[in-house]
Amino acid sequence: MENTTLLNQNDIKSLITMKEVVEICDRTFQDYGKGTTINPAKVLLDLGEQVEYPDYEGFMNAMPAYVGWLDIAGIKWAGGFLGKRRELGLPYVTSLILLIDPKVGNFIGAMDGAYITNLRTGAQSAVALKYIKQDIKSITLGLYGAGMQGRTQTMAISELFDIEELIVYDINIEASKKFAEEMKGFVKGDIKVASIPEEAANADTIVCVTQSKEPFLKDEWIKPGTVVFPMGSYQECEDSLILNSDYIIVDHVEQCLHRGVLNELTKRNEISEESIFATIGELSISAKQVISPESKRIVCVPIGTGAMDVAVAKYVLDKAKEKNIGGSFEFVETPNFQHS
């Protein structure tokens, strides 16, 4: 029985690129569309994110998956914390990924999940946009949130599209200015810093990666031909923006209806499974197709699936073994079988 390979965040950073993560997520969406990747809905442990008790201003999700094209199973245990974690200067996201051999259940890998989470969150938006936009290769990007997720969204999208202009808005204008300086190499055109939220909506692709609990993105700002990605855990856009869209696309129907931007509408029975036009997996295998995206208003909600994390983690694990990187630990001693 092989030991469990242990990988920290620095190990992972040395083993994978955003280009590779985009390719892995694309292949995994196709596998999910075919039904050969199995992804149960995530299980939420609310630690004060939206409930009063316990009051730790955080949450954790359990996200299991089996990825058929890699024949790997695993789970990501991940969440985000404000409160005490922010006071200590720690990153918002905290995460671990465990991988098993699906044939016998042995744990073959345990690794940091925060870096993989950031990369694949950007990659899943880029892949979704590829199938929504189809033959379009140049876009303008409006970005709300100039933090780590804003950076990885930009990095991933730039792998598949020429970004002719990027307009960034953050409630902290200094964060936007720093973002604009640091991300020049990923944007073909100019990066503009918006002084008011409406300015960043003047783009054909809008990505929201904020912690806002108030709907700041207004329906009236969104023009035909615009794809909106409300990626936050809360309510970043007006309900009318969603209800008036021509297409709603998600990564996981059950999950997206009960968390994030679609949650409250589902609770009020204003949308349901029938409201969802397609999953990204269905688009990736051409089971469904967006008609005339240049004239439609489209909302895409890739809220995040364990399958993407598990697939990327398997690639990282294989590279680590190939390069002899990381530690190992024998959690369970190898049985000494006696044969008569």
Side-chain angles (χ1 to χ4, degrees), residues 158-177:
S158 71
E159 291 287 344
L160 299 180
F161 294 88
D162 290 332
I163 303 174
E164 299 295 344
E165 181 181 60
L166 189 154
I167 309 166
V168 58
Y169 175 81
D170 195 285
I171 55 174
N172 180 349
I173 195 165
E174 293 305 316
S176 292
K177 291 177 180 178

Side-chain angles (χ1 to χ4, degrees), residues 249-262:
I249 295 163
V250 301
D251 58 353
H252 190 291
V253 174
E254 180 185 352
Q255 212 164 258
C256 289
L257 287 174
H258 296 95
R259 184 166 176 81
V261 71
L262 304 182

Side-chain angles (χ1 to χ4, degrees), residues 47-61:
L47 296 169
E49 180 198 29
Q50 299 185 60
V51 298
E52 294 183 3
Y53 175 85
D55 184 20
Y56 296 132
E57 295 184 69
F59 71 94
M60 292 295 287
N61 286 319

Side-chain angles (χ1 to χ4, degrees), residues 187-203:
V187 178
K188 184 176 181 181
D190 294 332
I191 300 179
K192 297 180 179 179
V193 174
S195 57
I196 58 173
E198 186 175 356
E199 291 178 15
N202 189 27

Side-chain angles (χ1 to χ4, degrees), residues 186-303:
F186 296 95
V187 178
K188 184 176 181 181
D190 294 332
I191 300 179
K192 297 180 179 179
V193 174
S195 57
I196 58 173
E198 186 175 356
E199 291 178 15
N202 189 27
D204 59 57
T205 303
I206 297 172
V207 177
C208 302
V209 278
T210 77
Q211 295 167 5
S212 176
K213 296 182 181 179
E214 299 297 327
F216 58 82
L217 190 65
K218 298 187 179 298
D219 182 31
E220 64 194 56
W221 297 348
I222 309 304
K223 304 178 184 69
T226 304
V227 185
V228 178
F229 290 89
M231 306 284 290
S233 297
Y234 309 109
Q235 187 74 28
E236 295 174 303
C237 62
E238 291 182 336
D239 289 342
S240 55
L241 191 160
I242 299 164
L243 295 171
N244 292 332
S245 64
D246 295 294
Y247 294 110
I248 300 175
I249 295 163
V250 301
D251 58 353
H252 190 291
V253 174
E254 180 185 352
Q255 212 164 258
C256 289
L257 287 174
H258 296 95
R259 184 166 176 81
V261 71
L262 304 182
N263 181 37
E264 290 300 320
L265 286 170
T266 303
K267 287 180 180 177
R268 298 198 302 266
N269 295 316
E270 294 183 55
I271 65 168
S272 65
E273 187 171 341
E274 287 68 38
S275 308
I276 308 300
F277 169 69
T279 66
I280 301 167
E282 288 173 324
L283 296 182
S284 73
I285 62 169
S286 300
K288 292 186 179 178
Q289 184 178 11
V290 173
I291 306 300
S292 302
E294 68 281 356
S295 64
K296 299 295 191 297
R297 301 198 329 163
I298 300 165
V299 172
C300 184
V301 188
I303 204 165

Side-chain angles (χ1 to χ4, degrees), residues 114-149:
Y115 186 68
I116 288 174
T117 296
N118 285 327
L119 292 186
R120 71 85 161 134
T121 303
Q124 62 197 22
S125 301
V127 172
L129 196 61
K130 166 187 169 180
Y131 292 111
I132 293 169
K133 292 283 190 180
Q134 299 165 38
D135 296 328
I136 298 170
K137 299 302 179 187
S138 296
I139 65 164
T140 56
L141 178 62
L143 180 66
Y144 291 89
M148 177 58 71
Q149 286 293 334

